[in-house]
Amino acid sequence: MHRPEQLKDLSVFASLAVLLVACSSATCSADDAASAAERGYRTLRTKAFLPNDFDDSVFKDLWKQWPEPDRSKAETATEKSRLRMIRDRYGLHQGPEDDSRLLGWVPTENGGHAMNCFACHGGAVDEKVIPGLANTELDLAALVRDVRATKLAKLKPLSHLDLAQLNLPLGGSRGTTNAVIFGVILDGIRNPDMSVDTSRDTRPHVHHFLDAPAWWNLKKKSRLYYDGFAPKNHRMLVQFTLIPKNDRETIYSWEDDFRDILAYIESIEPPKFPYEIDRKLAGRGQVVFENNCAECHGTYGDDWTYQERVVPIDDLGTDRVRFDAMTTDHRAHLSKSWMSRYGKDEVIPDPAGYIAPPLDGIWASAPYLHNGSVPTLWHLLHPEERPKVWRRKSTKFNREQVGFKIESFDSIPAEDRRTDEKREYVDTTKFGYSADGHDYPSRLSENEKVAVLEYLKTL
């Protein structure tokens, strides 16, 4: 599998969008943009915007919270093997520089570790780490719970996430988080000028869980989030650092950091499909795709097009919990804020539906739909075959169906419903997890679906 080349030759990824964000004068060059992107990546990997979640002593003892027989297996393992077991259990990855540091946490003083954006946006395919890909293996809920229990056993102070989890669900099925409500609360406790006001009522909180989008598609978009209600600018990226401890002056002081971070995100190229492709079949699939799918998802290649089309929610038919979870008041609050430049960058308080995303790198982006309810592209193209309940069979890539290798069930087995194992399952009958909708491929013949699947590997 090819890894992203953003660290080797960032200049080739510079685009007009990066230039506009990263540069302050008309004479800005591609080298300036590349430098901004390099700074953005370095900032994400080295600068803590949040307090420590745990230190080395806590991390190394997480296994002591595990049930048997896993606890005994960890106890008798070598330290190196035990650390690998800890990373695997919670879905944590090492950085692509092949060092020992976690990708999603920044090392701080005294052996501490503070969460960064890569916790959710640093994933892997076939165990190859791809910064900017959703981390579909993350089990944030189990991690924070076990961190809290380990700290209490060691008489260590609790952090913001340890306490937040007591009232706020952090994640559902593995790889999903309650990101929308995180944002509602963090944005809601800020006055327009970013001063903190914890007396503000941020309700309603409709807790639900989402799959993180791939970062490399952001360069084609002018708006953020699945419904496109928010403008794309560097200030919006500050949203998930808005805990009360970070006061207004602190947030303002980070503005250049987040300019660079946006430049980095927009420099990321999608990974290439690393296996054999039937180019003749893919060519036929391109014709079918452009006649049936391009109206919403755009065209690809050197002369690509992308309309950023919002598909009305009733036409799309996918799970609407994400759409309904944010009220007009939630969205409108942002229009008065420093983050939207006090409304100069348009905020849409009542979007019509979800944005049809670009499909660059779609082969690597399983699971599909915004809630991660569809395990492979084959299932996306065969709506009637989408499993009711499923879980990943292994972390190996499913080359034939393009996505996860899975096991299907009629329901979550009884023995797993009251343990951490329940988060290994995606139950599409549950609130917010419906796999219905996006049934447009039903109009295609089977031969056309086979060809389109092959074409999607080329994007």
Side-chain angles (χ1 to χ4, degrees):
M1 168 180 245
H2 300 288
R3 293 184 178 180
E5 298 297 320
Q6 63 267 29
L7 297 179
K8 297 180 181 178
D9 189 13
L10 281 166
S11 62
V12 301
F13 301 144
S15 64
L16 178 60
V18 175
L19 297 177
L20 291 173
V21 170
C23 305
S24 59
S25 73
T27 59
C28 177
S29 68
D31 287 342
D32 295 326
S35 296
E38 290 170 335
R39 289 196 306 269
Y41 178 79
R42 185 168 60 249
T43 296
L44 282 175
R45 295 286 279 133
T46 61
K47 184 168 183 174
F49 296 102
L50 295 168
N52 287 338
D53 289 318
F54 46 79
D55 60 23
D56 287 334
S57 69
V58 169
F59 188 76
K60 291 178 180 180
D61 277 356
L62 290 176
W63 62 272
K64 295 180 180 179
Q65 305 302 321
W66 298 352
E68 293 292 358
D70 296 337
R71 184 168 62 247
S72 292
K73 290 179 181 178
E75 184 175 18
T76 58
T78 65
E79 182 178 10
K80 182 177 180 180
S81 295
R82 188 184 304 124
L83 289 173
R84 176 61 187 263
M85 292 169 68
I86 291 171
R87 292 195 302 269
D88 288 349
R89 187 175 189 90
Y90 304 111
L92 312 180
H93 299 296
Q94 290 177 289
E97 301 89 350
D98 296 322
D99 61 19
S100 60
R101 292 190 292 136
L102 295 173
L103 178 60
W105 276 260
V106 175
T108 62
E109 296 179 359
N110 303 318
H113 300 272
M115 182 185 288
N116 68 22
C117 302
F118 285 127
C120 295
H121 292 278
V125 175
D126 265 354
E127 299 184 350
K128 303 295 184 181
V129 174
I130 304 178
L133 176 66
N135 185 0
T136 61
E137 298 169 49
L138 179 66
D139 190 347
L140 184 61
L143 173 63
V144 173
R145 181 203 61 207
D146 289 352
V147 164
R148 183 173 60 247
T150 303
K151 287 178 179 177
L152 291 173
K154 291 175 170 288
L155 301 179
K156 287 179 174 284
L158 301 181
S159 72
H160 65 296
L161 279 181
D162 303 328
L163 297 171
Q165 191 185 43
L166 300 177
N167 295 301
L168 178 69
L170 300 183
S173 295
R174 183 182 285 270
T176 64
T177 64
N178 194 10
V180 170
I181 302 306
F182 298 166
V184 164
I185 294 172
L186 293 173
D187 175 50
I189 62 173
R190 295 281 170 160
N191 293 317
D193 67 353
M194 294 284 94
S195 57
V196 177
D197 181 2
T198 56
S199 69
R200 290 195 73 250
D201 188 350
T202 63
R203 294 173 294 182
H205 298 157
V206 182
H207 300 299
H208 62 291
F209 308 107
L210 300 180
D211 180 43
W215 268 354
W216 52 74
N217 284 324
L218 194 62
K219 63 168 65 71
K220 287 187 174 182
K221 301 174 74 174
S222 66
R223 310 202 62 77
L224 298 179
Y225 307 133
Y226 286 110
D227 59 5
F229 89 94
K232 180 180 73 173
N233 66 31
H234 64 278
R235 290 182 177 182
M236 285 299 308
L237 304 186
V238 179
Q239 185 168 22
F240 293 101
T241 71
L242 297 181
I243 62 172
K245 181 178 179 180
N246 293 332
D247 61 18
R248 177 180 59 187
E249 287 68 31
T250 299
I251 296 301
Y252 288 175
S253 74
W254 289 340
E255 188 162 11
D256 284 343
D257 290 324
F258 281 89
R259 283 192 179 97
D260 291 341
I261 289 170
L262 181 56
Y264 163 67
I265 292 173
E266 292 196 317
S267 77
I268 301 174
E269 289 291 297
K272 294 181 180 179
F273 189 77
Y275 310 112
E276 185 177 352
I277 296 175
D278 184 333
R279 294 290 172 177
K280 186 175 181 180
L281 180 60
R284 294 200 297 271
Q286 180 176 358
V287 174
V288 177
F289 180 91
E290 291 181 352
N291 287 335
N292 293 273
C293 313
E295 180 182 355
C296 290
H297 292 290
T299 59
Y300 299 83
D302 292 338
D303 298 320
W304 61 268
T305 62
Y306 176 62
Q307 299 84 358
E308 203 166 9
R309 180 178 176 183
V310 177
V311 183
I313 189 68
D314 291 333
D315 293 347
L316 185 59
T318 56
D319 194 295
R320 62 178 296 141
V321 170
R322 159 65 183 85
F323 180 76
D324 295 330
M326 292 194 71
T327 67
T328 299
D329 287 343
H330 286 148
R331 295 185 178 97
H333 180 66
L334 186 64
S335 67
K336 308 168 188 175
S337 167
W338 173 87
M339 288 197 292
S340 68
R341 298 193 305 150
Y342 302 100
K344 290 180 180 179
D345 297 335
E346 183 187 20
V347 174
I348 302 174
D350 53 351
Y354 296 137
I355 288 181
L359 302 184
D360 304 89
I362 190 68
W363 70 269
S365 301
Y368 300 100
L369 300 184
H370 69 277
N371 55 6
S373 60
V374 178
T376 72
L377 284 178
W378 185 90
H379 289 99
L380 193 67
L381 292 168
H382 295 80
E384 69 285 353
E385 298 293 336
R386 295 172 190 169
K388 181 179 178 182
V389 178
W390 58 271
R391 71 175 177 185
R392 292 178 72 164
K393 192 173 183 179
S394 75
T395 57
K396 294 296 183 182
F397 182 69
N398 185 339
R399 302 187 194 184
E400 293 72 32
Q401 295 185 318
V402 187
F404 294 162
K405 292 185 176 182
I406 67 163
E407 298 175 289
S408 299
F409 304 83
D410 291 328
S411 62
I412 298 177
E415 63 270 20
D416 290 339
R417 291 176 192 168
R418 298 184 183 278
T419 70
D420 280 353
E421 286 298 311
K422 67 178 177 295
R423 283 194 289 275
E424 303 297 326
Y425 297 85
V426 176
D427 185 345
T428 66
T429 70
K430 298 296 185 183
F431 182 76
Y433 278 109
S434 172
D436 292 341
H438 194 275
D439 56 4
Y440 310 114
S442 297
R443 71 184 70 157
L444 303 178
S445 70
E446 186 58 32
N447 286 339
E448 288 174 325
K449 293 177 184 179
V450 170
V452 167
L453 183 62
E454 198 70 12
Y455 173 61
L456 293 175
K457 298 175 185 177
T458 71
L459 304 185

